[in-house]
Amino acid sequence: MFSGIVEEFGTVVAVEKDQENVHFTLTCSFADELKVDQSLSHNGVCLTVVWVDKAEKKYKVTAIKETLIKSNLGLLEVGSKVNLERSMMMNGRLDGHIVQGHVDQTATCAKVEEADGSWYYTFEYDFDIEKAKQGYMTVEKGSVTVNGVSLTVVNSKDNSFQVAIIPFTQEVTNFHTFKEGTVINLEFDIIGKYLSKLNSYSK
């Protein structure tokens, strides 16, 4: 489980196709602290560390076909910047919201607006009324996860929403690489999903 508070962005240094799977090798500042079998969020996708080179500060994770279909990881290439977060410690503060690291679908950046020191990003996604009834939607001032970043929804609509990004988040995550057409990973609020499911049994 994660909180959506990205620690830093890592850099992809190798991409290796292995049948239907893809192995990604990345480098980051805390790679020498990682261990095999550890869970790590990559753009909001929970992946297992399978190899670590502590001296070179590199590690490897594997994405299976289902993950590649549901997320933007299949678009990664050498040099790509990836938002990273280690799993949450239960004795720590939940600074974001409950994030599972299970991406629901992708969305596309439709607009980037600078607002006197901050930025507004608009994202659009495929809307499905049946999925929305199950909690796969946003609500005004609710929580949403974009590429692993816990954010507050602004201007919620059926198939789109906005988020406001402060300079710190812009710098330490891969948000600064987003432009119109960028594909991002989207995880809707798990609490909304459970409430929607429970509500469906009360009718």
Side-chain angles (χ1 to χ4, degrees), residues 43 45 63 66-75 103 105-106 183-185:
N43 279 354
V45 180
E66 177 69 10
T67 301
L68 297 170
I69 292 172
K70 290 286 182 68
S71 73
N72 66 3
L73 296 190
L75 301 176
V103 169
Q105 64 188 85
T106 57
V183 177
I184 59 94
N185 291 329

Side-chain angles (χ1 to χ4, degrees), residues 24-26 28 31 34 40 42 51-52 58-61 84:
F24 297 101
T25 303
L26 297 95
C28 72
L34 299 177
L40 194 63
H42 296 74
W51 171 86
V52 180
K58 296 190 296 187
Y59 69 94
K60 184 182 294 185
V61 292
L84 302 176

Side-chain angles (χ1 to χ4, degrees), residues 178-202:
F178 293 0
K179 57 185 178 181
E180 188 174 326
T182 297
V183 177
I184 59 94
N185 291 329
L186 194 57
E187 180 182 333
F188 298 105
D189 187 7
I190 185 60
I191 296 176
K193 294 175 192 173
Y194 273 115
L195 290 175
S196 297
K197 188 72 171 181
L198 288 170
N199 185 58
S200 71
Y201 293 124
S202 66

Side-chain angles (χ1 to χ4, degrees), residues 134-200:
Q134 298 173 43
Y136 292 76
M137 45 78 179
T138 62
V139 295
E140 197 72 18
K141 306 303 181 186
S143 296
V144 69
T145 308
V146 174
N147 264 14
V149 182
S150 172
L151 297 165
T152 301
V153 173
V154 180
N155 195 19
S156 174
K157 296 182 180 178
D158 281 347
N159 70 332
S160 69
F161 63 93
Q162 284 183 316
V163 293
I165 301 298
I166 62 173
F168 179 79
T169 305
Q170 179 82 355
E171 293 171 9
V172 302
T173 72
N174 60 14
F175 259 84
H176 65 270
T177 69
F178 293 0
K179 57 185 178 181
E180 188 174 326
T182 297
V183 177
I184 59 94
N185 291 329
L186 194 57
E187 180 182 333
F188 298 105
D189 187 7
I190 185 60
I191 296 176
K193 294 175 192 173
Y194 273 115
L195 290 175
S196 297
K197 188 72 171 181
L198 288 170
N199 185 58
S200 71

Side-chain angles (χ1 to χ4, degrees), residues 1 3 12 15 17 32 36 46 53 68 79 81 83 86 91 115 132 145 150 154 170 173 185:
M1 187 170 68
S3 66
V12 177
V15 179
K17 184 79 184 297
D32 57 338
V36 173
C46 179
D53 183 335
L68 297 170
K81 305 298 182 184
N83 289 336
R86 285 173 282 189
N91 64 344
T145 308
S150 172
V154 180
Q170 179 82 355
T173 72
N185 291 329

